[in-house]
Amino acid sequence: MDDIAIAFLLGLLLLSPLVVLIILIVKVSQVGTRMKHAETRLDELRARLDALQAGSAGSAAPAATEKKMVVSDIPASATAAAAGTTASPTISVDATRSEAVSTAAAQPAVPAESPSTTPAATPEGAPPTAPAGLRPPPRVDKAPLPTRPPKAAPAPAKTKAEWESLIGGRWLNRIGAVALIIAVGFFLNYAFDRNWISETVRVLLGGAAGLGLLAAGWRFEKRGYQVFAQGLLGSGIAILYLSVYASFNFYHLVPQIGAFVLMSLVTALTLYLAVHYDSLAVSLLGLAGGFLTPVMLNTGVANEVGLFTYIALLNAGVIAVLLRKDAWIVLEPISLLATYLTYIAWYDTYYTHPDFGATLFFLVLFWGLFFVMETVTATRPPTKDTPIRHFIAATNAGFFAALLHTLTSTTYDAWSGLALLLAGLCYLAAFFAVRERVPEQADTHARILVTGAAFIVLATGTQFDSFRLITAWSVEAWALTWIGLRFQRRHLWVGGLALYAVAFFTLLGTNGSMIWTDMPKYTFLINERTMAFTALAAALCLSYLGWRQSPEKASRHAAPAMLYGFSLVVFLLLTSELSDLFRSYMEAREWAMIQGIAYQLTVSIAALWAVLAVLYAAAARYARAPQLLHAGLIAMVLSLCIAFTRGIAYDPVSWHTPLFNPRLAAMLVVLLAVAALPRLLPAADRARWIEQTHTSLRVVFVLLLLTLITAEVRDFFELRLFTLAAQGPGAEVTRMIEQLGNEKQLSLSGVWLFFSIVLMTFGLLRGRRVMRVVAFVLFGISILKIFIYDLSYLETLYRIISFAALGLILLLVSFLFQRYKDVIFGEEEARSEKREEGKEKVEEAS
């Protein structure tokens, strides 16, 4: 069955050239038939036109002109018919002829022309002229017709001689070479089956046949038959490969090393012949045979040094050929892919831990060979093959980095980082060399420079981890951005921006970035996390300064992004450090202690964010960077959210000390920040949102102060209630708890009313309408509380005090409004007019 299958496959290979040849012969015969049909049709058209001219006596000049135009179209139609497209030109000529006949029938007869007066064919593009013996048409002044751009001339069709030369000279040569190889294979198989030839003689005959074909090819090439000689050379090389392979694998006449050397010699000879005879086909054959040699001679033994030395020598030969034949660039990607695929196959099958040194050496060697080729070709003038060279260079770098990581990821990370670093430095050196030699190749410069930078970044990622990696990447991102902006290398600053993003998100994903995991080893602000955050923040700040002075169009987006990133990194660093500082105090504590420390942490974070808001606003005013102001306002909003939600009640209340507690200190810091922030807003900017922010901050200050006072009064009574409840149940305790509850509600009502009257007085004296509106709202809340809650739950004595105080305060406020209403509203109008004048001056100045 194996012999039958082999014979069937060889039969298919033998018949396929014959089928191709038959198809070509049919195609050529069809072309000849169409050409004959076109010539016959052309003769018929000429005869009809001659008859038409003879029978159209007395016709006017326009009819003759139509005939002349028809005749002038005949050569073009005939040419199209000869190319195999006779249908369309024939229809065109018939239609023109019919039109000419109808025109001739409608015109008066003229004397018949003699055959000798038939006009000659008008050259293509020349205006038609009237034939001799006919009157020219009357001159009519008309507007010039619009001219059309000339159509591109179609590609000339191959002539019969060209077709015959292509088929007989080249195609039949290639088919004949393949057929000869198949015939030799059939003969050898036939002779081997009948034992006509011994094994040694078989191999010697194959070698002699191969060398004989090479000699014949050399002889015919000397006589000028280059195509025929190339076919003989290809056949001889293939037979030599088969003979050496059979001597090792089938008959075991030579050892592996001997067969290896013989195949190497055949490969070297093939490459030499390819260059000598300028034949890309021969070089491809040699390259295929060279890389198939290890596969065909594989014995299952992991001979790494021998295999990879052979591959390296083969690549060196290919590179030598490419240095002389730039047009054969297709050899380089084939050799590159074959090399790395061979390396991967060996690594997957035979690699063991003791092979690390040799395996790493050959990987660097393979990369270095193609890197040298890349550098040499980059120093040459640009060609149309530049995109292919970009692909080859990127593939070489990608394979090297991936295989190096795979090889060293388990044990030898330090080797990987060192190798990547050295590779990156090699690319940087190549960049300076290429830029000096060929300064006009900007794309090639950018590719080499970016590849070098990528290798250095990968080396850093391999060598370091955790927070040290973030520190190194921050420095590299700044360096890439600075160099890219300084020397106007777009690829570099784009890479710098990308590396900033990678470093930031890697930092967020690093263990311990937000919550320190090993608390016994934690030191506040003196740790690797602080170093990483500080390095990233400093790099972002420096890059912001570079972008701010850069003429790049992207600076209007990149500079704000740098500043927003800087603000966020500082915000996260200080928040994490403060949080871990309090968490270090929670270690080995009881639950009550942990709860109290957690509450102190919460209010402390609110104070920290308020301080950051003020610092950001101050820096924004000094550096004229609105992005810092935006970051400060966001930090203030977050701080106020905590202050209003967690500042109203101390948790746990047993930890509360009236007027001397962390909550009061933190709330006072937030209050001071809210009071200072309006003074740091841009003074020259009269934008509406600035004025609204001023007003909002004043209102927030009032509400936060009221919250703080309310919280202190409430927690004062809650602490006493907690102490009484801890004494246990009893009538006296219950009575004292009810009394304290009434006192607490009365005190809250009194505080709110007193605060309202103070706020109203301030609004009246300073002419602040916003303060008066807030006071009115507080009056309303106090009135509702007194009429709804105090009237329902307080005892009679407390009700009397509550309502009396409410009445007196409301009467006092009413009197003040009646007494000073002219002053109040007059000041408001004057202040409004002054504000309008200020806006007009700003508009005029702008």
Side-chain angles (χ1 to χ4, degrees):
M1 291 299 293
D2 294 338
D3 294 339
I4 295 174
I6 294 173
F8 178 73
L9 292 175
L10 292 176
L12 287 179
L13 292 174
L14 182 62
L15 289 176
S16 58
L18 298 178
V19 173
V20 174
L21 181 61
I22 293 172
I23 293 174
L24 291 175
I25 294 174
V26 172
K27 291 291 185 181
V28 172
S29 63
Q30 290 178 354
V31 172
T33 304
R34 290 181 179 178
M35 293 175 66
K36 292 181 180 179
H37 178 72
E39 292 175 356
T40 304
R41 187 64 177 168
L42 182 61
D43 293 339
E44 292 178 358
L45 289 175
R46 286 176 177 172
R48 291 181 182 178
L49 287 173
D50 291 340
L52 179 64
Q53 291 176 355
S56 59
S59 61
T65 303
E66 292 290 337
K67 293 180 182 180
K68 178 62 183 175
M69 293 175 66
V70 172
V71 174
S72 65
D73 288 342
I74 291 175
S77 302
T79 304
T85 56
T86 59
S88 178
T90 304
I91 295 172
S92 176
V93 173
D94 290 342
T96 307
R97 179 180 57 79
S98 302
E99 182 180 354
V101 171
S102 61
T103 306
Q107 299 293 333
V110 296
E113 298 176 344
S114 62
S116 61
T117 60
T118 302
T122 305
E124 185 178 359
T129 58
L134 297 178
R135 292 179 297 174
R139 181 176 181 181
V140 180
D141 294 334
K142 295 182 178 179
L145 296 176
T147 59
R148 296 181 179 179
K151 297 181 179 180
K158 292 184 182 295
T159 62
K160 294 181 180 180
E162 290 174 342
W163 277 106
E164 291 179 2
S165 176
L166 177 64
I167 297 172
R170 186 177 296 273
W171 292 0
L172 293 183
N173 175 269
R174 301 293 189 259
I175 298 172
V178 175
L180 181 60
I181 296 172
I182 296 174
V184 172
F186 272 117
F187 169 75
L188 293 177
N189 185 50
Y190 187 79
F192 298 161
D193 290 341
R194 288 160 177 76
N195 294 321
W196 292 353
I197 306 172
S198 64
E199 297 175 349
T200 304
V201 175
R202 297 172 191 176
V203 174
L204 293 176
L205 285 177
L211 294 176
L213 288 173
L214 293 181
W218 173 79
R219 185 178 183 83
F220 278 103
E221 196 276 338
K222 289 294 184 181
R223 295 183 178 182
Y225 303 104
Q226 286 83 4
V227 176
F228 181 71
Q230 290 177 9
L232 296 178
L233 292 173
S235 302
I237 291 168
I239 292 174
L240 287 176
Y241 271 123
L242 292 174
S243 299
V244 176
Y245 176 66
S247 66
F248 167 75
N249 195 56
F250 292 154
Y251 310 128
H252 308 289
L253 299 176
V254 294
Q256 183 188 26
I257 185 64
F260 200 81
V261 171
L262 290 175
M263 282 199 166
S264 301
L265 292 176
V266 174
T267 302
L269 177 62
T270 303
L271 294 178
Y272 168 76
L273 293 176
V275 176
H276 182 73
Y277 295 116
D278 194 18
S279 175
L280 177 61
V282 174
S283 66
L284 289 172
L285 180 62
L287 188 62
F291 279 103
L292 287 176
T293 294
V295 179
M296 293 187 295
L297 301 181
N298 182 24
T299 59
V301 179
N303 185 10
E304 179 185 10
V305 176
L307 171 64
F308 288 158
T309 302
Y310 167 77
I311 296 295
L313 292 176
L314 179 59
N315 284 323
V318 172
I319 290 174
V321 171
L322 289 172
L323 292 177
R324 298 188 60 182
K325 299 291 183 180
D326 286 339
W328 294 2
I329 191 174
V330 68
L331 298 179
E332 189 172 358
I334 295 176
S335 180
L336 175 70
L337 294 175
T339 298
Y340 282 116
L341 290 178
T342 303
Y343 183 93
I344 293 171
W346 182 92
Y347 179 86
D348 184 63
T349 306
Y350 300 108
Y351 176 76
T352 57
H353 186 71
D355 299 327
F356 173 79
T359 307
L360 177 61
F361 169 78
F362 282 109
L363 177 61
V364 175
L365 178 61
F366 294 152
W367 166 82
L369 287 173
F370 290 102
F371 171 71
V372 170
M373 182 65 189
E374 174 189 351
T375 306
V376 172
T377 54
T379 58
R380 297 179 178 179
T383 63
K384 63 179 180 179
D385 299 326
T386 301
I388 301 178
R389 299 202 180 279
H390 290 337
F391 167 77
I392 295 171
T395 305
N396 184 35
F399 267 115
F400 176 67
L403 292 175
L404 184 64
H405 175 72
T406 304
L407 182 63
T408 60
S409 59
T410 55
T411 309
Y412 301 98
D413 288 340
W415 289 77
S416 176
L418 179 61
L420 289 171
L421 178 61
L422 294 177
L425 295 178
C426 290
Y427 276 104
L428 294 182
F431 162 74
F432 289 108
V434 171
R435 189 184 64 171
E436 187 70 22
R437 293 284 300 275
V438 190
E440 66 274 8
Q441 295 197 41
D443 292 342
T444 302
H445 299 165
R447 183 199 74 211
I448 298 175
L449 189 59
V450 170
T451 306
F455 269 100
I456 295 175
V457 171
L458 290 175
T460 306
T462 305
Q463 193 70 26
F464 302 104
D465 58 357
S466 188
F467 297 115
R468 295 182 181 180
L469 175 61
I470 306 303
T471 303
W473 275 355
S474 300
V475 176
E476 291 173 353
W478 168 79
L480 287 175
T481 305
W482 182 82
I483 296 174
L485 295 177
R486 176 67 176 80
F487 298 99
Q488 296 183 355
R489 300 287 179 179
R490 177 183 176 86
H491 300 80
L492 287 184
W493 60 254
V494 169
L497 294 178
L499 187 57
Y500 271 127
V502 172
F504 177 75
F505 288 108
T506 304
L507 177 59
L508 294 183
T510 302
N511 187 24
S513 60
M514 295 292 103
I515 300 176
W516 195 268
T517 54
D518 192 5
M519 292 307 301
K521 297 181 180 180
Y522 172 76
T523 304
F524 180 66
L525 290 179
I526 305 176
N527 50 69
E528 292 184 349
R529 178 178 64 186
T530 302
M531 178 182 64
F533 272 94
T534 304
L536 182 56
L540 288 169
C541 186
L542 293 175
S543 294
Y544 163 75
L545 297 177
W547 276 108
R548 192 173 182 178
Q549 301 173 359
S550 173
E552 293 281 351
K553 293 182 179 180
S555 60
R556 60 180 181 179
H557 301 295
M562 295 293 101
L563 215 49
Y564 285 130
F566 165 80
S567 306
L568 180 58
V569 170
V570 173
F571 180 87
L572 294 177
L573 169 62
L574 296 180
T575 303
S576 301
E577 286 295 316
L578 183 62
S579 175
D580 288 333
L581 176 63
F582 278 86
R583 287 181 60 247
S584 64
Y585 297 148
M586 298 180 190
E587 291 293 317
R589 304 282 184 177
E590 297 179 356
W591 170 246
M593 294 287 292
I594 294 175
Q595 187 179 7
I597 295 175
Y599 180 78
Q600 294 176 2
L601 169 63
T602 303
V603 295
S604 299
I605 287 177
L608 172 65
W609 291 352
V611 172
L612 273 180
V614 174
L615 294 177
Y616 284 163
R621 187 184 181 94
Y622 173 78
R624 296 181 181 180
Q627 295 79 19
L628 287 176
L629 178 59
H630 302 159
L633 293 176
I634 293 174
M636 180 57 72
V637 170
L638 296 175
S639 174
L640 292 173
C641 290
I642 295 178
F644 280 113
T645 56
R646 299 302 306 275
I648 194 64
Y650 208 97
D651 185 25
V653 72
S654 59
W655 281 43
H656 179 257
T657 302
L659 301 180
F660 297 98
N661 55 77
R663 194 260 313 272
L664 180 63
M667 296 286 279
L668 288 177
V669 171
V670 177
L671 279 170
L672 292 176
V674 173
L677 200 56
R679 301 177 181 274
L680 298 175
L681 295 179
D685 192 353
R686 296 294 179 178
R688 183 174 180 82
W689 76 272
I690 295 293
E691 296 182 358
Q692 292 176 348
T693 304
H694 272 276
T695 304
S696 301
L697 288 174
R698 293 192 186 102
V699 174
V700 167
F701 179 85
V702 172
L703 296 178
L704 188 60
L705 181 59
L706 177 62
T707 302
L708 177 59
I709 295 174
T710 303
E712 284 295 318
V713 173
R714 173 192 175 278
D715 291 335
F716 172 77
F717 288 98
E718 288 293 332
L719 178 60
R720 297 177 63 185
L721 291 171
F722 176 80
T723 305
L724 287 175
Q727 297 177 4
E732 184 64 21
V733 173
T734 303
R735 186 188 65 80
M736 293 180 66
I737 289 176
E738 291 178 355
Q739 182 179 355
L740 282 176
N742 292 328
E743 291 176 0
K744 182 180 75 171
Q745 296 301 327
L746 180 62
S747 299
L748 289 176
S749 300
V751 167
W752 289 1
L753 288 173
F754 178 77
F755 189 85
S756 301
I757 190 61
V758 173
L759 188 61
M760 180 62 70
T761 304
F762 179 81
L764 291 173
L765 295 178
R766 299 296 300 271
R768 298 291 176 83
R769 178 176 297 175
V770 175
M771 299 295 105
R772 298 196 299 268
V773 171
V774 175
F776 281 130
V777 173
L778 290 178
F779 277 132
I781 296 174
S782 301
I783 292 170
L784 290 176
K785 179 180 180 299
I786 292 173
F787 276 93
I788 296 176
Y789 185 85
D790 295 354
L791 188 62
S792 302
Y793 296 98
L794 296 183
E795 296 180 358
T796 304
L797 178 61
Y798 296 103
R799 294 175 187 174
I800 295 171
I801 297 174
S802 178
F803 276 89
L806 176 63
L808 291 175
I809 290 174
L810 293 180
L811 289 174
L812 177 60
V813 172
S814 175
F815 170 76
L816 292 176
F817 260 92
Q818 294 295 325
R819 178 67 178 81
Y820 298 103
K821 64 178 180 179
D822 295 334
V823 178
I824 294 170
F825 295 112
E827 290 180 356
E828 288 290 341
E829 293 177 359
R831 189 176 291 107
S832 178
E833 292 177 359
K834 187 177 181 180
R835 189 182 299 111
E836 294 295 333
E837 291 177 0
K839 289 182 179 179
E840 292 177 358
K841 290 181 180 180
V842 172
E843 292 177 356
E844 292 175 358
S846 61

